Amino acid sequence: MFAVTVTFRIKPQHRNAFGTAVQANAEASREREPGCRRFDVCTDPDRPDEIFLYELYDSAAAFDDHHETEHFVSFAEKTAHMVEDKQVMTFRSVS
């Protein structure tokens, strides 16, 4: 299993638009990508400009494939100007 966490800091004026776009991307990933096992979008009301993603893939290759999908490319292009900061971390299962 290959886990990915992403923490976005969103410009306040784009909070709602980004939330809608990231939810649509997560849904498309879960429905259309056979290697995507989980894709959660989370936030904390005390930090509304922070969005946390938790994603599980079958492998690092499945995560690489995710970056090539039409829905991800569209999401990345549509939201790039909304993001103030982005931190990505990846983890592999311990065997």
Side-chain angles (χ1 to χ4, degrees), residues 6-95:
V6 185
T7 304
F8 290 97
R9 195 169 69 245
I10 306 305
K11 296 174 185 174
Q13 67 271 29
H14 298 295
R15 187 182 309 146
N16 291 337
F18 184 87
T20 299
V22 75
Q23 288 283 22
N25 180 56
E27 184 177 309
S29 297
R30 288 189 303 263
E31 291 178 357
R32 299 182 201 156
E33 297 177 42
C36 179
R37 300 296 172 194
R38 183 173 198 101
F39 196 130
D40 296 331
V41 179
C42 308
T43 193
D44 183 320
D46 293 333
R47 296 185 316 277
D49 298 333
E50 187 174 292
I51 303 290
F52 176 79
L53 308 183
Y54 177 71
E55 307 170 47
L56 281 179
Y57 294 88
D58 288 340
S59 63
F63 180 59
D64 291 341
D65 291 346
H66 166 69
H67 288 113
E68 303 299 321
T69 63
E70 182 180 329
H71 58 267
F72 176 82
V73 171
S74 175
F75 163 76
E77 290 173 355
K78 181 178 183 179
T79 62
H81 71 284
M82 301 177 185
V83 176
E84 218 163 280
D85 187 51
K86 177 182 174 182
Q87 303 281 328
V88 179
M89 297 181 71
T90 60
F91 305 87
R92 290 172 176 21
S93 296
V94 177
S95 308

